[in-house]
Amino acid sequence: MSLSTLIMEEMKTAMRAKDTVALEALRAIKSEILLAQTASGSKEEISEDDEVKLLQKLVKTRKESARIFTEQNRLDLAEPELAQIAVIEKFLPAQLSEAEVETVIAAIIAETGASGIASMGKVMGLAAAKLGGTAEGKTISTIVKKLLT
């Protein structure tokens, strides 16, 4: 089942349950999907990789907003953002732990023979391709830096 179809089903459920937070998050996902589809000029379905990237972007924006609201002692605004993150993350693949990500990156470094921070770009490209959707880019970057220095 495509992400669009799944989102529509979840929206119906949220409407019936009068769950405004979930409904807002689901509408944001639907909006981003429609924008991505029309950006290419065709009404085709977007690829699964693009869907995952889109969802990760939505989570990242909400995490940043929640962090800013928390710093400003606006918990009334931070809580809905965190609740929306939980709704959006249901559609993302299971995230790997830092230890699992570190194991994969260590294997990539061993394969390529990379050493030093100058090889970071090459390792990041391979790691992002291999871990796509199962780890955040910031986490990957931090671990790559740690292992190459």
Side-chain angles (χ1 to χ4, degrees):
M1 182 182 295
S2 75
L3 182 63
S4 300
T5 310
L6 194 57
I7 295 298
M8 289 305 294
E9 293 302 316
E10 289 290 323
M11 281 178 70
K12 289 176 190 173
T13 306
M15 283 181 198
R16 287 185 196 114
K18 296 187 180 358
D19 186 350
T20 56
V21 173
L23 193 56
E24 190 176 333
L26 294 166
R27 283 183 174 149
I29 296 170
K30 182 180 177 194
S31 171
E32 287 294 322
I33 290 171
L34 289 173
L35 285 172
Q37 286 174 339
T38 55
S40 64
S42 63
K43 281 281 193 176
E44 300 174 1
E45 291 289 317
I46 57 175
S47 71
E48 278 190 46
D49 289 342
D50 290 340
E51 289 173 346
V52 169
K53 287 176 187 172
L54 185 136
L55 292 172
Q56 285 177 325
K57 183 179 109 183
L58 289 171
V59 168
K60 182 179 178 183
T61 351
R62 278 162 180 70
K63 280 183 180 177
E64 182 64 20
S65 296
R67 184 188 62 76
I68 291 169
F69 291 143
T70 305
E71 286 174 0
Q72 297 174 348
N73 288 329
R74 292 297 310 265
L75 298 179
D76 58 318
L77 297 174
E79 287 173 9
E81 295 290 329
L82 296 171
Q84 286 185 24
I85 289 170
V87 172
I88 296 169
E89 284 180 338
K90 289 192 309 186
F91 302 102
L92 282 170
Q95 299 293 296
L96 297 175
S97 69
E98 284 193 27
E100 292 169 319
V101 172
E102 191 167 337
T103 305
V104 171
I105 292 173
I108 291 171
I109 291 172
E111 270 178 35
T112 59
S115 62
I117 204 74
S119 306
M120 185 170 172
K122 182 167 76 171
V123 174
M124 278 295 296
L126 294 170
K130 193 166 190 172
L131 297 169
T134 58
E136 282 187 356
K138 186 175 182 180
T139 306
I140 295 171
S141 172
T142 304
I143 293 172
V144 168
K145 279 181 191 173
K146 182 176 93 175
L147 293 176
L148 288 178
T149 54

